[in-house]
Structure formats: structure tokens, C-alpha cells
Amino acid sequence: MTKPLAFPDVRCGRRGWLRGAALAVAAPGLRVAAAMEPTRADRAALFPGSAVAYPEVLRETRLVFPRDYGAHPDFRIEWWYVTGWLFDRADRRPWGFQITFFRIRTSYPDGNPSRFSPGRLMVAHAALVDAAAKRHPQRERVANLGSAGVRLAQGDTDCALPGWTLSRSADDGYRTTVREDEFGWRLALRTRGAAAPWLQGEDGFQRKGPLESQASHYYSRPQLQVTGELDVRAATRAVDGVAWLDHEWSSTVLDPRAAGWDWAGLNLHDGRAIVWYRIRAADDGPALHTYFALREVDGGMRVLGEAAVTVDETWVSGATGSRYPVALTLAPREAPAPVGIGSLRLRPLIPNQEIDGRQITGVAYWEGAVRVLDDGDREIGLGYLELTGYHRNFRL
């Protein structure tokens, strides 16, 4: 999913400005605003005869693995997003964790020989939810892809910034590491049940708005079983848990009328998984697009149609003043509903799970661990809820 990176202005010749990019980025639908990119006249003066052409997300494209686990550098934006619940093996104390790597191809044309060129950037977020202490430490990084210690592979998942990594091995396991003063981890993530990637939408072509062009290529890896070590306040804890991985790439996603989106990825205790989102309209009208789908234990997928959404609790950030609907109830409108899914009551591990990205990306969003309860108040799953566009509208 911390505070607007302002790259120093660098004057080139008598006119050009290399102003960097003030980025607004969040996952799993994501956002990018190149608010400080050069004007068209600036680019023409700096790079005469050059332009950036981004490829389109096409319905007929078929995802191929392991190739599509890796980076797609020609597209404008891409992200690998892992969230999950961890439990201390000694006392079963719960924790939430998030790590996200965003690859950004800005409108600076290729060809600048400097490795500090802001044409291709990586932004990353890492956060820990300490439920017992009601704390949410977080960090945000940004770097040029040519910088030392930055790695982004094509052909398979392999993302790295100094001290932060996410990679996939040939046996289809993932590893992630984070090293920060306040928190860190060394985690292994393994698939269980239906191990193949869950292709969202239509074979990985996922609409995000009313137009065909407002789409991403999108797959998920739910029900990842986690083992490893968590470092917090100079203590190391052995942990296990469950996680969710999303990988998306696109060049155009949000409709100009959109304010942002609400999204949830839910790992049910019986081995099934649910993904839901809605693209909210800036005028508070009907959602511009919705998606609600169930993956069975054997890998079969069922689109559930629209969900009836009830806001049960809101929380106001003391840092940004944003009001987030942190407790929701989702209920399938279709009848009969899938077994055991009459309604899904999402309840936050703690209310304060805001990612305050104003220092670097200029925006804030809520990215939080939630319990999934049924109508009888029984816990039937664990997941993460993402709420964007409540601090300010997104453009992507």
C-alpha cells in the first residue's frame, strides 16, 4: 500500500526541467498520478521526436506461466501485492503484514543514459499490524530501476529494493524479506489446495470500469500458507499464517468519474477464497463497476454477481482526517447463495490501519487485516480490506 516525494528540480540546457514524478500508488487496483512530470513542451525540448506509447490490455491476450509471474515493463503500471495474517507460534498472538512492489513507467521517454532517469521507477510499501499494541508501523520506498540494489525480473517474480525482497522459486513457493529498524520478517509462502493462479475476470482480463479499455491483466494466489520469522522491537518470533498475493499490470484502469475503490481478498477457513471490489463514483452515485467471485477448493471459479454492501462502522484518521468504512457486510444478491456465504461480515483487527503515503506518493489509503464472520458471529476466514479515494480522488 510515510509521506510527496519531491525529486529535486534539475535544469537541462536553457529550458528543460527534470522534475521527477510525484506518484500516487496503491494496490490491487492501484493508482498513479504523475503530477510533477514535465509538460509536453518540456519533453519535446529534452527529447525531440520521442514519445512514450503504452501497450493496451487486450481481452484476447492469454496469460502464460511462469513468464507472466514476472515484470511487463512496457505497460504503464504493475504491482505485486502480498497481505496476510501471522500468528506467534508460542502464544498465537495475531499480526497483519503487507508488502507491495509497484513498477511505474512514467511518460519520460526511454533513451536517457543516466541510471537516475525517472522514466522507470519502483515504489514499495511495507507495513505491520501489531494488534496487541494497537500499532501500525509502516515504511515507503521509491527508487529508479537503475539504482543499486534494485531488481525487477522478467520471466518470473523477483522484486528487490535494499533490504526488501519478494521472489518465486521453481517449486512455486514465494519468499519475502523486510529489514527495517522497527520491524521486519523472513517469510516463506506455499500454495495449498488448488495451486494454479486464479485468473480474475475473463481468463485474466479484468474490467475496472464501463469501457473495455479500463482493464488490467490480473491473477491472484489465495490461501498461501506462511511460515517464518517476524522481527519487532528487537525480538524475533516464529510465526505461521495465511496470505494472499495479487499481481496486476495495465496502462489505463480507472474511469475519470471514479473516486477510488473498495477491495477485499478473503481466505476462508474451509479452503475457499473470495475476491470483491467496487469502483466508486466521485458523485456518490452507483458503482461504476463491481466484481464478486468465489474460488472453490478444487480451483473452480464462480462469479457471484453484485453484492449488497452495508457499512457497519467507520473510522476517522487523526493524521489525514479521512473517514474510512472499516467494517462492512457483503451479501450475495443472487439466490441461492453459495453454502456458508449468506453474508460476510468484515471486522478490522484494529481500526487504525491507514497507509499514510503523503510524504512520497502524496496520498493515503486504508489497507487492513480483517476477520470474516458469518451471520452467527463465527469466524469463517481471514483477509485484507483496501479502501482508496477517501483521502482524495484517484486518477489512473
Side-chain angles (χ1 to χ4, degrees), residues 31-104:
R31 58 193 185 276
V32 169
M36 294 181 66
E37 291 188 4
T39 66
R40 183 176 300 178
D42 288 337
R43 286 196 297 269
L46 286 168
F47 308 102
S50 63
V52 172
Y54 302 107
E56 297 179 28
V57 171
L58 301 175
R59 184 183 297 272
E60 58 267 26
T61 299
R62 292 294 174 262
L63 303 190
V64 177
F65 299 101
R67 180 195 69 193
D68 284 320
Y69 291 131
H72 303 79
D74 291 340
F75 287 83
R76 187 160 66 96
I77 185 166
E78 182 167 21
W79 59 96
W80 295 257
Y81 161 97
V82 181
T83 56
W85 282 66
L86 302 174
F87 296 90
D88 190 310
R89 292 187 191 175
D91 59 13
R92 305 313 291 171
R93 175 178 174 176
W95 308 77
F97 80 98
Q98 171 199 359
I99 183 166
T100 314
F101 287 91
F102 304 107
R103 178 199 56 75
I104 313 297

Side-chain angles (χ1 to χ4, degrees), residues 92-379:
R92 305 313 291 171
R93 175 178 174 176
W95 308 77
F97 80 98
Q98 171 199 359
I99 183 166
T100 314
F101 287 91
F102 304 107
R103 178 199 56 75
I104 313 297
R105 185 185 180 196
T106 73
S107 62
Y108 284 89
D110 294 332
N112 188 329
S114 171
R115 68 186 180 93
F116 300 107
S117 168
R120 296 175 186 266
L121 304 176
M122 182 182 285
V123 178
H125 294 171
L128 182 70
V129 183
D130 185 342
K134 293 182 170 54
R135 297 174 64 253
H136 188 222
Q138 57 194 262
R139 294 292 182 271
E140 186 172 30
R141 301 270 199 92
V142 63
N144 301 76
L145 284 179
S147 298
V150 177
R151 186 173 69 247
L152 185 62
Q154 299 181 50
D156 213 330
T157 302
D158 188 13
C159 311
L161 288 164
W164 297 17
T165 68
L166 174 66
S167 61
R168 196 192 77 95
S169 57
D171 62 357
D172 204 29
Y174 292 85
R175 290 191 176 274
T176 174
T177 60
V178 167
R179 292 195 302 273
E180 293 291 334
D181 291 341
E182 193 173 2
F183 67 94
W185 56 68
R186 293 165 300 283
L187 302 175
L189 299 84
R190 305 289 307 181
T191 57
R192 81 166 188 182
W198 181 5
L199 304 184
Q200 302 293 358
E202 300 176 37
D203 295 324
F205 174 86
Q206 177 64 74
R207 286 276 290 272
K208 295 295 197 306
L211 301 181
E212 179 88 358
S213 60
Q214 295 161 348
S216 67
H217 291 305
Y218 178 14
Y219 69 85
S220 303
R221 309 299 303 270
Q223 295 289 0
L224 294 172
Q225 303 306 291
V226 186
T227 57
E229 294 180 325
L230 175 65
D231 300 322
V232 59
R233 295 192 298 277
T236 297
R237 303 165 181 269
V239 293
D240 53 40
V242 61
W244 181 294
L245 181 147
D246 269 355
H247 181 194
E248 293 191 61
W249 58 99
S250 183
S251 294
T252 304
V253 177
L254 287 185
D255 190 281
R257 296 169 294 170
W261 61 89
D262 304 333
W263 173 96
L266 310 175
N267 289 311
L268 303 186
H269 292 330
D270 63 10
R272 294 181 295 174
I274 286 177
V275 64
W276 165 83
Y277 69 78
R278 60 179 177 182
I279 307 297
R280 302 189 322 278
D283 62 3
D284 295 324
L288 298 175
H289 192 74
T290 65
Y291 183 67
F292 192 24
L294 169 71
R295 189 184 202 188
E296 301 286 359
V297 176
D298 63 4
M301 173 183 167
R302 176 178 173 183
V303 176
L304 302 178
E306 286 195 31
V309 182
T310 304
V311 175
D312 301 313
E313 179 185 338
T314 61
W315 173 79
V316 178
S317 166
T320 67
S322 306
R323 181 181 292 275
Y324 298 99
V326 298
L328 299 176
T329 297
L330 310 177
R333 293 186 186 276
E334 70 175 44
V339 174
I341 308 181
S343 66
L344 303 165
R345 300 168 60 218
L346 312 185
R347 298 297 180 260
L349 183 55
I350 61 174
N352 178 15
Q353 299 185 72
E354 182 182 50
I355 300 291
D356 186 352
R358 292 175 296 170
Q359 188 77 24
I360 289 181
T361 61
V363 296
Y365 62 102
W366 197 93
E367 186 82 45
V370 293
R371 289 188 168 90
V372 186
L373 308 179
D374 67 7
D375 291 325
D377 213 30
R378 294 177 293 267
E379 183 184 281

